[in-house]
Amino acid sequence: MDRIRIVGGNELKGVIPISGAKNAALPLMIASLLTSDTLTLENVPHLADVEQLIRILGNHGVDISVNGRREKQGEGYSRTIHFTCRTIVDTTAPYELVSKMRASFWVIGPLLAREGRARVSLPGGCAIGTRPVDLFIEGLQALGATMEIDGGYINATAPKGGLIGARYTFPKVSVGATHVMLMAAALARGTTVIGNAAREPEVVDLAECLNAMGARIQGAGTSTITIEGVSALSGARHRVLPDRIETGTYAMAVAMTGGDVTLEGTRADLLETALEAIRRAGAEITSTSTGIRVVRSGGLIKPVDVVTDPFPGFPTDLQAQFMALMTRSSGVSHITETIFENRFMHVQELARLGAKISLSGQTAKIEGVQRLRGAPVMATDLRASVSLVIAGLAAEGETMVNRVYHLDRGFERLEEKLTRCGATVERVSD
Ligand code: EPZ
């Protein structure tokens, strides 16, 4: 199993190209199930989760062709992938596939909308929390679907003639359930109004792509989204938006090590709350013509308190990385996690590097220390793993991050991007 070896202490200087967003690419790829025409997606990141979803979509009958040649764009790379689902050959998403990645559960929306039925395995628990599917069930029921749980699967059936537009207000904000409602309601009869919808940029990206395919969606990016159903969707060409979590992760890495890095191809408006927290910690952040420039030249890292929240709040997917930054602050900071109940697995691993963190319920208290010292560490989810990389970049000596497959799910060419900015980071294969 691969590991990442980091020797800390170097400042980061240079350019890091930001990839297409994993969490936008996944629902966009799933949207290809809604049409018999070709959906072409540009700027798709090369990640383990994307490859896994390619296998899952293939199982439903999607024909997928990846541009043979990687296009070099500036300093980065992107892939263009064509998805064509002439007919859905299987409306079952089996346990073996869904259990590996929660987002694959989202195929329930398009399968139900296009075929009138879907049998999808329940995704089960996950390391960061229980993550139930009640909001998906209620939302699809509001569109007239019958939802039955049987042997670990949800059997969803649309009424004769298809799903029916309706008003439905989520009792809690859910990114995934909002994606699914958009895809299901796009082909429903009549108008759907979703209240308390997720406002994440990835929801906006999906709505824009669906509109390019012929859907009639308004209000994405606000908490009320209106969808006028259409009878069929066509193909389209759409570019995946930049990854705001990758952007924030590298911005925090620069704030941690000091240096001067331009994050190329990304946008500040995708993560204003997180950038503001990094500014308050002591980094200068400016928008440039090509992306975002992050500079920290000397000076202490200041303690900053954050609370995670749905967009436009501080993202839960940057919580672990910000905690890594705060371990080196000049005082005491508090980080409160409100989205997932068990997303503090990085705490004990950061402690192995010398961090001082105590937990009380959903709040972590971080007492900044003057130095971290390298150690072998491991984490059980993607964002926790990368927080250990950030800490390792600022730690004295060698840090070995085990179970790198978590990083490969969400960070494209991480060691190459960091090495080009002067970090000592290498992948070690046993
Ligand atoms: C998406 O997950 C992201 N995944 C997550 O990123 C991200 O952490 C999360 O949104 C929150 O921003 C993708 O986009 C692929 P939710 P999702 O439904 O949609 C509860 C990463 O590291 N809930 O918004 O699964 C749920 O338990 C990943 O890239 C219900 O109670 O998250 C959680 O507490 C990890 N019932 C809260 O809502 C439901 O039916 C928000 O979850 C659904 C969710």
Side-chain angles (χ1 to χ4, degrees), residues 20 45 120 129 220 273 282 297 301 309 354 399:
V120 180
T273 309
S297 38
I301 298 171
D309 254 325
T399 297

Side-chain angles (χ1 to χ4, degrees), residues 379-389 401-403 406-407:
T380 45
D381 89 83
L382 162 62
R383 311 303 176 186
S385 299
V386 86
S387 78
L388 300 173
V389 172
V401 182
N402 293 296
R403 293 205 188 166
H406 287 297
L407 287 171

Side-chain angles (χ1 to χ4, degrees), residues 47-351:
L47 298 169
D49 274 10
V50 167
E51 301 311 305
Q52 172 68 7
L53 186 56
I54 285 177
R55 279 190 285 278
I56 289 167
L57 293 176
N59 190 51
H60 294 300
V62 185
D63 182 55
I64 293 159
S65 70
V66 181
N67 260 18
R69 190 172 56 86
R70 280 183 157 199
E71 300 163 32
K72 185 137 168 78
Q73 298 200 331
E75 296 221 318
Y77 294 87
S78 77
R79 288 194 308 168
T80 296
I81 309 189
H82 309 279
F83 301 85
T84 313
C85 187
R86 295 264 173 260
T87 47
I88 289 177
V89 298
D90 194 345
T91 52
T92 298
Y95 174 76
E96 304 76 64
L97 296 177
V98 179
S99 58
K100 293 210 175 87
M101 183 177 52
R102 182 178 162 91
S104 53
F105 180 77
W106 302 348
V107 299
I108 195 167
L111 292 178
L112 191 56
R114 185 164 158 193
E115 292 296 296
R117 62 178 195 284
R119 180 171 160 78
V120 180
S121 168
L122 289 164
C126 143
I128 61 178
T130 52
R131 302 179 89 188
V133 292
D134 52 324
L135 303 175
F136 296 81
I137 295 179
E138 279 179 21
L140 293 171
Q141 275 172 339
L143 300 182
T146 307
M147 311 286 287
E148 282 167 3
I149 298 183
D150 165 40
Y153 281 76
I154 292 197
N155 290 329
T157 317
K160 240 187 161 84
L163 295 170
I164 307 159
R167 275 183 177 269
Y168 176 72
T169 297
F170 283 114
K172 178 176 184 177
V173 177
S174 162
V175 176
T178 304
H179 286 319
V180 164
M181 284 295 273
L182 285 187
M183 291 191 273
L187 287 180
R189 285 173 287 153
T191 303
T192 299
V193 180
I194 308 173
N196 202 20
R199 295 158 64 188
E200 269 66 4
E202 293 76 19
V203 170
V204 178
D205 209 35
L206 176 64
E208 282 175 2
C209 177
L210 291 172
N211 282 344
M213 294 164 74
R216 295 201 189 128
I217 302 173
Q218 282 185 331
T222 72
S223 13
T224 306
I225 305 181
T226 305
I227 306 126
E228 253 181 78
V230 295
S231 55
L233 294 174
S234 58
R237 193 177 183 97
H238 179 84
R239 185 173 174 80
V240 179
L241 94 171
D243 196 316
R244 63 193 166 100
I245 304 304
E246 190 193 25
T247 305
T249 300
Y250 288 125
M252 289 172 194
V254 180
M256 182 74 157
T257 60
D260 183 345
V261 171
T262 295
L263 305 172
E264 201 175 57
T266 189
R267 299 183 346 233
D269 64 293
L270 299 174
L271 70 162
E272 282 297 357
T273 309
L275 293 181
E276 192 46 39
I278 304 169
R279 277 193 195 102
R280 282 167 51 211
E284 281 168 50
I285 301 179
T286 45
S287 284
T288 70
S289 57
T290 57
I292 298 174
R293 183 172 170 207
V294 185
V295 181
R296 190 171 75 78
S297 38
L300 296 171
I301 298 171
K302 295 187 202 78
V304 178
D305 293 348
V306 299
V307 178
T308 64
D309 254 325
F311 192 84
F314 189 96
T316 174
D317 290 347
L318 285 173
Q319 179 258 106
Q321 300 87 315
F322 198 71
M323 193 179 296
L325 175 62
M326 287 298 104
T327 62
R328 290 283 313 281
S329 89
S330 56
V332 177
S333 58
H334 297 88
I335 298 183
T336 304
E337 170 61 53
T338 71
I339 310 288
F340 293 110
E341 69 270 28
N342 185 25
R343 211 174 196 184
F344 279 136
M345 288 157 305
H346 39 286
V347 166
Q348 64 194 37
E349 296 302 302
L350 287 169

